Amino acid sequence: MKTTAQEPIGSAPVLPSFAAKGDPVMSANELVKRGRRDWARWLGSLISIAVLVAALAQWRDIDYATLADLVPSSPAFWLAFVVYYLLGPASEWLIFRRLWKLPANGIVPLLRKKVSNELILGYLGEVYFYSWARRHGQLTAAPFGAIKDVAILSAMAGNAITLLMMAVGFPLFYGLASGLDLDLSQRTLGFSVLFMAVSSILVLALRRRVLSLPKDELVFVLAMHTLRIVAGIGVLALMWHLALPQVALLWWVLLSLLRQLVTRLPFVANKEIVFASIAIFFVGGETTISALMALVAGLVLVAHLVVAAGTSIYALVEKEGNDDADR
């Protein structure tokens, strides 16, 4: 009678092998890794399609004739606008360059991250960047922790600067709000300040549980976000001054600071209307201020559309290259 050989006790179980036609046999770990890459690729593709749809939907809303009449011809204005638009992606590239040794072409997904957040939904860009990082496993094995920490510290830097500005300029800001009959009560401002302060204090108190990066890296990330915000305030003021040079740069700096304050307060409704009213009070000329705000918003939207199209083409080329490499 024929007997079958028994496996020795304690031996490792034999895993079934999986092989595609013409491919070498893949281990279970390789299958899991490929499944994760495929999931991240599909998620990235879906977000890319959503960005394109949102960009095309807003393309119809641009009044190009009016925008062309408003655009300054000064090269300095265009240089300031490019710097203003790229500040966010460039600062994050420096951050992830330090954390992951992100290559130069890593600026592309960071640009798409910016467009996704501003055209579709806040923090959707972080989801896209996470899916991109998962597809590029050679950068980091666990991208979630770093992306989460960078996003949290960005919010904390914005809160800290806003709270500092509120502490210094509350009498001026509330006096303006009351004098211009804006819909801003002490209660609304108080709740906004309390929310930002409490959320930032909680993150600091629970930093060992909430944040995963080492202390030196956290300090670097927080410093980069702070520099980005301060530089953004200055560049925006310069851009406004180059568009309307008859108004002194100092007034534009003050308005840029006030815009940072207004847009960061969480419980303030109609932020753009509040800021426009304050800007008209300082500079005068309701038509001029409205035109300037429309100019900057229109140029940013056009830049989003160009970046969305360009990064989509790049993503398709990169996907084809990755598919060829996987075959």
Side-chain angles (χ1 to χ4, degrees):
M1 182 174 174
K2 220 168 182 185
T3 59
T4 56
Q6 302 252 342
E7 287 185 5
I9 297 174
S11 63
V14 179
L15 293 174
S17 61
F18 301 88
K21 186 176 179 181
D23 289 340
V25 176
M26 291 185 293
S27 67
N29 287 338
E30 288 171 335
L31 283 172
V32 171
K33 289 179 181 178
R34 173 165 289 190
R36 288 174 177 173
R37 286 197 302 268
D38 289 342
W39 169 83
R41 186 176 301 164
W42 277 107
L43 179 61
S45 298
L46 287 174
I47 295 176
S48 297
I49 293 170
V51 168
L52 278 176
V53 171
L56 291 173
Q58 296 199 32
W59 186 278
R60 302 172 304 173
D61 298 333
I62 299 177
D63 186 351
Y64 293 99
T66 303
L67 191 61
D69 292 337
L70 296 172
V71 171
S73 58
S74 168
F77 172 86
W78 288 106
L79 178 61
F81 175 76
V82 171
V83 172
Y84 175 73
Y85 188 84
L86 294 179
L87 265 176
S91 63
E92 289 189 330
W93 183 86
L94 291 173
I95 289 171
F96 287 106
R97 176 72 176 177
R98 172 166 172 154
L99 298 180
W100 298 344
K101 300 189 183 307
L102 190 69
N105 64 353
I107 193 67
V108 175
L110 289 172
L111 285 168
R112 179 166 285 265
K113 171 178 171 294
K114 175 185 177 72
V115 174
S116 300
N117 282 340
E118 297 190 14
L119 277 186
I120 306 177
L121 182 67
Y123 293 108
L124 182 64
E126 275 70 19
V127 176
Y128 170 79
F129 189 58
Y130 173 74
S131 71
W132 180 87
R134 290 307 302 256
R135 297 198 306 272
H136 296 75
Q138 72 275 13
L139 295 175
T140 176
F144 177 77
I147 295 173
K148 167 183 62 68
D149 288 5
V150 171
I152 290 174
L153 290 175
S154 176
M156 286 187 64
N159 287 350
I161 291 175
T162 304
L163 290 171
L164 177 62
M165 291 168 57
M166 181 61 79
V168 173
F170 178 80
L172 171 64
F173 182 68
Y174 186 70
L176 283 172
S178 301
L180 297 174
D181 196 24
L182 300 177
D183 187 18
L184 282 175
S185 64
Q186 285 188 351
R187 185 176 182 179
T188 300
L189 294 177
F191 276 132
S192 297
V193 170
L194 182 64
F195 177 82
M196 289 189 294
V198 170
S199 61
S200 298
I201 291 170
L202 282 176
V203 171
L204 288 174
L206 303 174
R207 62 186 180 278
R208 296 185 183 277
R209 297 183 179 181
V210 175
L211 303 173
S212 55
L213 291 174
K215 181 180 177 181
D216 291 346
E217 307 292 7
L218 293 174
V219 171
F220 173 77
V221 172
L222 187 61
M224 287 300 302
H225 282 311
T226 303
L227 287 173
R228 168 184 58 81
I229 294 170
V230 173
I233 290 171
V235 174
L236 181 60
L238 177 61
M239 191 165 60
W240 284 341
H241 175 66
L242 292 169
L244 290 176
Q246 63 269 30
V247 179
L249 179 60
L250 182 61
W251 287 111
W252 289 124
V253 172
L254 177 59
L255 283 174
S256 187
L257 286 167
L258 286 171
R259 182 180 183 275
Q260 170 69 21
L261 176 60
V262 170
T263 55
R264 289 292 305 182
L265 293 173
F267 299 120
V268 174
N270 302 317
K271 294 180 173 64
E272 293 301 328
I273 295 175
V274 171
F275 171 69
S277 300
I278 294 174
I280 291 167
F281 173 80
F282 275 104
V283 179
E286 181 175 356
T287 304
T288 303
I289 290 298
S290 299
L292 181 59
M293 299 301 118
L295 169 66
V296 175
L299 289 178
V300 169
L301 180 55
V302 170
H304 285 340
L305 300 177
V306 172
V307 168
T311 55
S312 295
I313 294 171
Y314 181 89
L316 288 174
V317 173
E318 184 188 43
K319 182 178 183 299
E320 290 295 327
N322 289 338
D323 289 343
D324 292 340
D326 289 339
R327 290 193 187 104

